[in-house]
Amino acid sequence: MKILITGANGLLGQKLLRTLSADYYDIFGVDLHPEPFCPDVDFTYAALDLTDRRKTLERIAAWQPAVIVHTAAMTDVDGCESRREDCWRINVSATETIAKTAKSCSAHLIYISTDYVFDGKSGPYDETAVPNPLGFYGKSKLAGENVVRGAEIDWVILRTIVLYGTGRRVKSSFITWLLAQLRSGKPVKIVNDQWGNTTIVDDLASAIDRVIMLQKTGLFNVAGRTFQTRYDMALTAAQIFDLDASLISPISTSEFKQPAPRPLRSGLIVTKAERELYLTFRSTEQALELYREQEKAATI
């Protein structure tokens, strides 16, 4: 089976390459960079700007994938607020192109979305909750969801939250930033009024693997099992990595003054995904223990 991964050089893309290649799929990947970041994985790579509609249609039509996992997106929440045209081109217009190619190839499209489609007033949310995004990033991802839903194809939307993990040359996540600060002995202020459940990338990749294997369609929430504040997660990380928790102090979101609005009481209920995909997602402690093991292995 041919599987195409957009955003193959990203955190999720890299984890998918390693996860899916172990199942002997014929893997194809695209990203903006001229070279793949995982040259040790056996797959076909091409540099591709998904906002170039003609080239995207031609490239994917030539490969004829049976499954497209669309991970590529603009995820800088504050950047999306200030660069709205870029955000829309990447998160919505490019998704329209991907959906069109999926239809022409009769491909199963898996779209990665976010808890930012909600306003954070009554989380955690299940799959039946009505979206109401606060900022432009969430609005663009909800628009992408609607594109996928209306494309007359077999689709899956996976909503996730605060994704982190290990990879090569990947963008900084909340956890990688936090650990770097604490290891340098720098004090950090972490919001204590933003609630949610964070997600290690291994769990999301496993869920995508099961979606492909079981040929699932529909909407699923995929996240860790622990519902807590960012501040409490930071304290847990300090404990797991044996770092100085006294460097961590709480701050409210209003004091932090971030450019884009954040959903405060967010979080995703994952009961449906665990039941239908036959998975058990990790707690914060389990996920951070795995992260620590992978980080050590990468430095050997």
Side-chain angles (χ1 to χ4, degrees):
M1 180 191 294
K2 292 182 179 180
I3 299 177
L4 168 63
I5 301 169
T6 72
N9 284 337
L11 175 63
L12 178 56
Q14 291 185 38
K15 186 63 66 173
L16 281 172
L17 288 173
R18 301 189 184 284
T19 301
L20 298 178
S21 62
D23 291 333
Y24 305 104
Y25 294 119
D26 194 4
I27 309 295
F28 299 79
V30 296
D31 211 308
L32 288 171
H33 199 271
E35 303 294 335
F37 290 178
C38 293
D40 56 316
V41 178
D42 184 19
F43 77 109
T44 302
Y45 179 82
L48 181 65
D49 180 353
L50 297 178
T51 65
D52 187 324
R53 184 177 178 84
R54 180 184 61 80
K55 288 184 178 179
T56 300
L57 291 170
E58 289 176 354
R59 169 59 67 184
I60 299 178
W63 283 340
Q64 289 290 302
V67 177
I68 300 173
V69 188
H70 185 31
T71 81
M74 183 174 177
T75 58
D76 177 0
V77 176
D78 292 327
C80 287
E81 205 68 30
S82 60
R83 296 165 49 206
R84 295 190 173 196
E85 289 186 7
D86 289 340
C87 173
W88 196 264
R89 283 190 306 107
I90 296 167
N91 290 352
V92 185
S93 299
T95 300
E96 291 174 342
T97 303
I98 293 295
K100 182 175 181 178
T101 62
K103 185 174 182 180
S104 67
C105 298
S106 299
H108 186 186
L109 177 57
I110 301 171
Y111 176 78
I112 309 303
S113 193
T114 172
D115 69 303
Y116 272 66
V117 299
F118 297 111
D119 56 22
K121 294 181 179 179
S122 57
Y125 299 94
D126 66 12
E127 288 83 356
T128 66
V130 178
N132 183 35
L134 297 176
F136 201 77
Y137 168 64
K139 291 175 182 178
S140 73
K141 292 301 290 183
L142 180 59
E145 287 188 12
N146 291 334
V147 166
V148 171
R149 289 174 185 269
E152 299 179 340
I153 54 175
D154 289 336
W155 58 264
V156 168
I157 294 168
L158 299 180
R159 290 178 180 153
T160 194
I161 174 172
V162 192
L163 193 64
Y164 68 95
T166 58
R168 296 175 179 174
R169 301 164 65 181
V170 295
K171 296 176 183 176
S172 178
S173 67
F174 170 66
I175 287 296
T176 54
W177 169 83
L178 173 68
L179 295 177
Q181 296 296 107
L182 296 180
R183 284 167 173 161
S184 299
K186 297 178 181 177
V188 293
K189 294 182 178 181
I190 307 296
V191 289
N192 63 355
D193 57 354
Q194 289 184 27
W195 288 79
N197 40 338
T198 54
T199 313
I200 192 161
V201 69
D202 303 70
D203 281 351
L204 182 54
S206 294
I208 293 169
D209 191 18
R210 289 294 175 88
V211 164
I212 295 170
M213 184 187 309
L214 299 172
Q215 298 182 329
K216 287 289 186 177
T217 57
L219 172 64
F220 295 90
N221 291 336
V222 177
R225 296 175 64 88
T226 308
F227 183 66
Q228 61 189 164
T229 66
R230 291 285 188 95
Y231 174 71
D232 287 334
M233 187 193 182
L235 294 178
T236 302
Q239 179 183 4
I240 295 292
F241 285 84
D242 195 25
L243 297 168
D244 186 1
S246 68
L247 293 170
I248 305 170
S249 59
I251 187 173
S252 70
T253 299
S254 60
E255 292 177 282
F256 209 36
K257 296 181 180 179
Q258 294 164 301
R262 264 67 171 175
L264 295 184
R265 192 168 184 85
S266 190
L268 298 171
I269 297 170
V270 298
T271 307
K272 177 185 175 183
E274 290 189 319
R275 181 182 66 250
E276 295 193 20
L277 301 179
Y278 307 101
L279 291 169
T280 300
F281 300 126
R282 292 172 175 86
S283 66
T284 296
E285 290 81 1
Q286 291 170 329
L288 288 173
E289 290 283 4
L290 175 61
Y291 184 101
R292 186 178 65 174
E293 292 172 8
Q294 293 174 343
E295 191 181 55
K296 285 181 179 178
T299 59
I300 295 175

